[in-house]
Amino acid sequence: MRYVKRALATTAAVVATAAVLQSPAQAAVVPEHAVIVCQSASFYANYNSSTGPSGYLRTLYYGDKVGHTPGVHPVYNGWAATFDFGPNDWGYVRIECIGGYDSW
């Protein structure tokens, strides 16, 4: 029984460590509150400097609550690392579609 408990504890520690290692780097800084200021904006899971955005997630709409910290969270060719406060996930959206900082 002691072996099983030790094995379960070790497995839990490995899983927790793997989850931390897979967390996006952007999560290290809490994003500033902002909103989508375009009528609609595509939200992508990833950005590659040679191919552009990839992994379409959904469309965000005017007034949707998002987070981005200028000067801290990366912007690549106009695509900004953004946190969508709706489903609580990170992605990329056009920087010109983010505004209304600290409006909520």
Side-chain angles (χ1 to χ4, degrees), residues 63-82:
D64 282 349
K65 295 178 178 181
V66 297
H68 174 79
T69 303
V72 176
H73 297 128
V75 178
Y76 305 109
N77 295 320
W79 290 91
T82 306

Side-chain angles (χ1 to χ4, degrees), residues 19-91:
V20 169
L21 293 175
Q22 293 176 359
S23 298
Q26 298 94 346
V29 174
V30 177
E32 289 185 33
H33 288 175
V35 294
I36 296 296
V37 294
C38 295
Q39 289 300 310
S40 64
S42 296
F43 189 62
Y44 291 90
N46 299 300
Y47 184 84
N48 181 303
S49 60
S50 63
T51 59
S54 64
Y56 173 80
L57 294 172
R58 63 189 155 276
T59 301
L60 301 177
Y61 295 97
Y62 182 85
D64 282 349
K65 295 178 178 181
V66 297
H68 174 79
T69 303
V72 176
H73 297 128
V75 178
Y76 305 109
N77 295 320
W79 290 91
T82 306
F83 188 78
D84 183 356
F85 282 99
N88 294 321
D89 58 355
W90 283 96

